[in-house]
Amino acid sequence: MKPRQQPFTSSPLRLALLAALSGGAAADDASIQIAPVTVTGSRVEANSFELPYSVDVVDSRQIGEGQLKVNASEALAAVPGITVLNRQNYAQDLQISSRGFGARSAFGVRGMKLIADGIPASNPDGQGQAATFNLDTAERMEILRGPFASVYGNHAGGVIQLFSRDGAGAPRVSAGFTGGSWGTHKLDLGAEGASGPLGYVLDASRFETDGYRQHSAATRDQAFAKLTWQPDADSRLRLTASSLHQGDTQDPLGVTWGTFGRSARAVEDVANTFNTRKSIDHMQGGITYERRFGAHQMELRAYSGTRSVTQYQSIPTGPQLNPRHAGGVVDFDREFHGAGARWTWTRPAAGGELSLTGGVDYDFARDDRRGYQNFVGPTLGVKGALSRNEDDGVQSFDQYAQAQWKAGAWLLGAGLRHSSVRFKVEDHYVVAGNTDDSGRVQYEKTTPSVGASYQLTPSTNLYASAATGFETPTFNELAYSSGGGSFNFNLRPARSRQVEAGVKSLLGEWGRVNAALFQIRTQDELVVLDSTGGRTSYQNAARTLRHGLEIGLEAEIARHWRTRWAFTQLRAIYDQGFTSKGVPVDAGRRLPGIPATTVYGELAWTPIQGITTALEGIYRSRMYVEDTNSVRPAPAYAIANLRLAAEQKSGHWRFSEMLRLENLFDRKYIGSVIVGDANGRYYEPGTGFGWFAGVRAQYAF
């Protein structure tokens, strides 16, 4: 996904629309031209303006300008169709959904594929961690939505890819410090450059916060290294390595509506009595080799890593006395690896250019998983007796083929992917009252996709696409049968059919607008069957229907003013009734965790070269918290943010400063929800007014 060698610049609702005054000019240009970029979101390199699907690029300026560069939510807020909710809970990661895919995830990211420098940040079962993204070294992020996301296989309701920059130019070192509200501070150190054909990027950072809410302190240490070797114009070897460490990250859990009413910063008593917390150690490395043979291209990649997690939950002691209960402490050590190969063949055909791509992907993860009681006698929040011991393995092996033909005003595309996902459990905890829960299950699916775009005028493209997709259960969803029993190997994957139609238009050299209409029908949707004793079981019980509208706008409205907008309208309903936890859910009920309307806007002003200020506005409509829609939903809200970024150069030195003010009017609101929480702790409050300021210095040798 390489950009062309030209710059890419690309409440109530009323309050958000007024507050969303946007823009932002680059520090080195008084005037910005907005142009499409070259992306490989569907694995076939092409101009984003011509592609028959929705794909957006967030460049390094948008990722870093006036931002803390801690959470991916900072960079993705302006992408239509993507809902990124910062839970203010570093123990559970962000909530990310694409057109409703992934909204039900209780932790981490499911329903979407996360990839960093070609290496999956999602497990083969579809569970991913956005916290592993290193934003300090990010060159850009590509966000693919709609039917063609299915070319990435299982759980690809959308695809978010992060690409770090390559080391280039003179050697240079840098250091930055950011501090602000709630004891928040971040220190990062970096070095990068190139020597002949060898480029390097090194980065290390520490982020610490006391947290806006009680019992939400976190410390995050990240490290990243990237080496690129380009011996000639036709080949490149890339090595990456990264690590993430979070020790004893406090988990504030969700709260009831009554607790939120008393204080947006409060937590339920169980968070303190059980000292809910999570420790994470994650390391991974990968190697990618690319080579061109004339108009053709080959890519080979391999990766490997480890992940260890220990989590103390607030499950009451009583249910854990059942010998079939897995306990209140989750403890696993994971090893994972994978490999892939791809060949792209390009040649003239039928008066145009034809590209054929074929490839294979193999991914494997194995967990040495243990569970313990979270008490010893009367003492809570400590590791007690063993209550679970098993090996969980999942692997996927996919083959795919794609074709893209461009001639005149037409671009036609098609793809076919066959996915095979295998789960295996070896139960080593077999005691009186707890039988052997070992077993295995395999899911297979072939998913086709087709699309076409037509250049109506030199500045306007019309397009349409359609595809099928599927989502296997994750290990978390397979883990329990009704009543908290053994693995539920009878679950089936959810299957979806998607269609999309849209228009992409360049507004001269000063702006562009993309608009898309879409519809998604899903069968065998995974929904809650039962939730008891701190354990949730799932079932295939519903058809769902999602349809909506997305509009993205980016424009330079005057010489020093620029605006950016993202509008999403999404109606997501159960298209078939079912029963959840013994309660009927009627057809027509809204899917929980999905706002019907989301608006983002900003107006940025660059009064002089090197200084940019911007006002941001965000509006989200209410979100239901469970399937029947009978419990109080999280209300709609609108907030405004202000950011300032400055940069100066002096000889070998480059300095930059930032100031960020969030929630300017100190609104009290629910920022995210925990769908279907068995204890009624559905709500996760957003932050009040906060400020952050930072400085950075770089020296080039």
Side-chain angles (χ1 to χ4, degrees):
M1 297 186 173
K2 298 180 181 178
R4 295 165 52 184
Q5 299 303 310
Q6 59 190 84
F8 171 74
T9 55
S10 349
S11 114
L13 178 59
R14 182 179 302 173
L15 173 60
L17 296 176
L18 293 174
L21 310 170
S22 112
D28 296 331
D29 295 293
S31 177
I32 292 182
Q33 293 187 355
I34 295 178
V37 293
T38 299
V39 299
T40 55
S42 67
R43 299 186 187 269
V44 179
E45 190 171 285
N47 188 305
S48 63
F49 177 65
E50 301 171 343
L51 294 172
Y53 50 80
S54 296
V55 59
D56 283 87
V57 177
V58 180
D59 63 21
S60 59
R61 178 189 57 79
Q62 295 164 335
I63 293 171
E65 185 180 78
Q67 305 285 5
L68 279 72
K69 294 189 288 186
V70 172
N71 297 302
S73 55
E74 305 168 33
L76 298 175
V79 179
I82 297 292
T83 300
V84 187
L85 305 179
N86 188 338
R87 310 176 68 169
Q88 306 304 322
N89 183 347
Y90 290 93
Q92 302 296 346
D93 213 342
L94 303 174
Q95 283 185 338
I96 305 179
S97 62
S98 172
R99 298 181 177 177
F101 287 105
R104 185 181 293 278
S105 181
F107 66 94
V109 179
R110 75 172 298 281
M112 296 192 64
K113 201 83 166 183
L114 304 179
I115 303 172
D117 287 318
I119 306 303
S122 297
N123 245 22
D125 69 343
Q127 195 76 47
Q129 297 83 31
T132 58
F133 282 177
N134 190 311
L135 300 180
D136 291 324
T137 60
E139 179 186 67
R140 70 191 185 281
M141 298 173 72
E142 295 188 9
I143 303 94
L144 170 63
R145 308 177 303 286
F148 265 79
S150 67
V151 302
Y152 282 89
N154 181 31
H155 276 266
V159 182
I160 299 176
Q161 299 205 58
L162 179 141
F163 296 87
S164 61
R165 57 183 177 269
D166 290 341
R172 50 203 182 275
V173 294
S174 60
F177 179 81
T178 302
S181 296
W182 316 304
T184 300
H185 57 273
K186 178 185 175 184
L187 173 67
D188 67 276
L189 304 171
E192 59 187 283
S195 177
L198 182 65
Y200 60 92
V201 177
L202 306 173
D203 183 80
S205 67
R206 163 162 280 203
F207 168 77
E208 293 185 88
T209 181
D210 294 333
Y212 172 72
R213 297 176 60 198
Q214 300 171 19
H215 197 75
S216 62
T219 299
R220 177 185 290 178
D221 294 316
Q222 284 187 280
F224 178 85
K226 180 179 183 180
L227 299 177
T228 53
W229 182 51
Q230 192 164 353
D232 54 56
D234 294 323
S235 61
R236 183 174 68 162
L237 182 69
R238 180 174 66 243
L239 291 88
T240 59
S242 63
S243 68
L244 167 71
H245 171 73
Q246 289 184 205
D248 285 334
T249 302
Q250 292 180 334
D251 186 349
L253 307 177
V255 296
T256 64
W257 183 257
T259 299
F260 170 70
R262 292 191 296 274
S263 172
R265 306 187 69 172
V267 298
E268 304 295 343
D269 290 341
V270 291
N272 292 312
T273 56
F274 283 94
N275 189 17
T276 49
R277 61 200 187 275
K278 189 176 187 179
S279 294
I280 304 170
D281 278 292
H282 183 102
M283 298 181 64
Q284 67 180 52
I287 181 170
T288 303
Y289 177 70
E290 300 171 350
R291 183 167 184 84
R292 289 188 178 274
F293 300 88
H296 315 310
Q297 182 172 341
M298 175 187 70
E299 179 182 301
L300 304 174
R301 66 174 177 87
Y303 69 93
S304 181
T306 61
R307 182 178 180 87
S308 297
V309 171
T310 303
Q311 180 180 6
Y312 289 79
Q313 302 174 306
S314 61
I315 297 173
T317 60
Q320 297 180 61
L321 298 177
N322 184 331
R324 295 189 61 77
H325 198 283
V329 180
V330 176
D331 189 352
F332 70 81
D333 295 306
R334 174 178 300 159
E335 56 182 43
F336 58 91
H337 59 261
R342 183 173 73 204
W343 175 269
T344 300
W345 179 83
T346 305
R347 62 162 296 164
E353 183 179 84
L354 175 66
S355 293
L356 298 176
T357 298
V360 294
D361 289 329
Y362 172 77
D363 301 289
F364 172 85
R366 177 184 175 277
D367 291 358
D368 179 6
R369 183 174 292 268
R370 299 163 300 277
Y372 300 90
Q373 294 176 348
N374 59 2
F375 62 94
V376 176
T379 305
L380 305 179
V382 295
K383 186 179 290 187
L386 180 71
S387 55
R388 183 178 188 178
N389 184 11
E390 66 198 32
D391 291 330
D392 297 341
V394 57
Q395 67 176 28
S396 64
F397 181 57
D398 292 18
Q399 312 88 46
Y400 59 89
Q402 291 176 246
Q404 181 173 286
W405 178 73
K406 187 180 186 316
W410 286 95
L411 185 146
L412 306 179
L416 192 68
R417 186 179 184 106
H418 176 76
S419 298
S420 175
V421 185
R422 298 180 181 182
F423 294 82
K424 181 180 179 181
V425 177
E426 296 180 359
D427 188 1
H428 305 300
Y429 185 73
V430 181
V431 298
N434 184 58
T435 57
D436 189 344
D437 293 329
S438 300
R440 63 182 66 196
V441 64
Q442 179 175 345
Y443 304 107
E444 291 194 70
K445 181 71 174 176
T446 299
T447 53
S449 55
V450 294
S453 66
Y454 177 74
Q455 190 171 20
L456 186 65
T457 71
S459 61
T460 301
N461 269 14
L462 306 177
Y463 72 89
S465 59
T468 64
F470 85 122
E471 295 179 84
T472 68
T474 65
F475 249 123
N476 182 61
E477 292 161 341
L478 285 168
Y480 306 103
S481 299
S482 179
S486 63
F487 277 83
N488 185 0
F489 292 114
N490 294 319
L491 285 179
R492 300 181 299 276
R495 296 162 292 140
S496 61
R497 294 180 180 272
Q498 301 188 49
V499 293
E500 175 183 3
V503 58
K504 302 179 182 182
S505 185
L506 300 176
L507 309 176
E509 295 183 343
W510 58 272
R512 64 179 178 177
V513 60
N514 298 337
L517 289 166
F518 60 88
Q519 178 176 282
I520 305 165
R521 291 187 178 275
T522 303
Q523 292 183 320
D524 287 333
E525 187 83 48
L526 289 161
V527 298
V528 172
L529 169 64
D530 193 14
S531 186
T532 57
R535 299 307 184 199
T536 300
S537 59
Y538 293 83
Q539 63 178 328
N540 298 103
R543 293 194 306 263
T544 62
L545 171 64
R546 283 167 274 177
H547 53 83
L549 167 67
E550 297 171 1
I551 302 174
L553 169 68
E554 187 173 1
E556 185 180 4
I557 56 178
R559 181 172 176 79
H560 299 290
W561 295 85
R562 200 166 64 100
T563 190
R564 191 160 54 131
W565 291 81
F567 172 83
T568 304
Q569 184 70 36
L570 173 59
R571 182 173 182 261
I573 62 170
Y574 289 112
D575 207 27
Q576 178 187 26
F578 64 98
T579 300
S580 174
K581 293 183 284 187
V583 178
V585 178
D586 297 332
R589 297 297 185 186
R590 295 273 184 168
L591 270 66
I594 302 174
T597 305
T598 302
V599 182
Y600 174 90
E602 68 177 43
L603 176 67
W605 178 44
T606 304
I608 59 174
Q609 181 175 310
I611 296 180
T612 298
T613 184
L615 183 64
E616 308 167 355
I618 300 173
Y619 168 81
R620 286 195 179 95
S621 62
R622 64 183 179 179
M623 289 185 290
Y624 289 101
V625 299
E626 46 75 55
D627 293 323
T628 68
N629 298 173
S630 60
V631 176
R632 182 189 293 269
Y637 67 89
I639 59 173
N641 309 317
L642 181 68
R643 69 175 192 259
L644 172 68
E647 185 176 274
Q648 310 86 38
K649 298 178 183 177
S650 178
H652 294 274
W653 289 95
R654 179 191 293 260
F655 302 95
S656 60
E657 303 82 29
M658 63 82 74
L659 174 66
R660 183 170 184 84
L661 306 179
E662 295 193 341
N663 195 355
L664 288 173
F665 305 110
D666 198 25
R667 302 291 188 189
K668 183 180 179 181
Y669 68 101
I670 301 294
S672 58
V673 299
I674 302 173
V675 172
D677 185 86
N679 300 291
R681 302 192 291 258
Y682 303 107
Y683 311 99
E684 296 180 301
T687 62
F689 171 77
W691 67 270
F692 305 94
V695 295
R696 187 171 189 83
Q698 182 184 86
Y699 182 83
F701 294 93

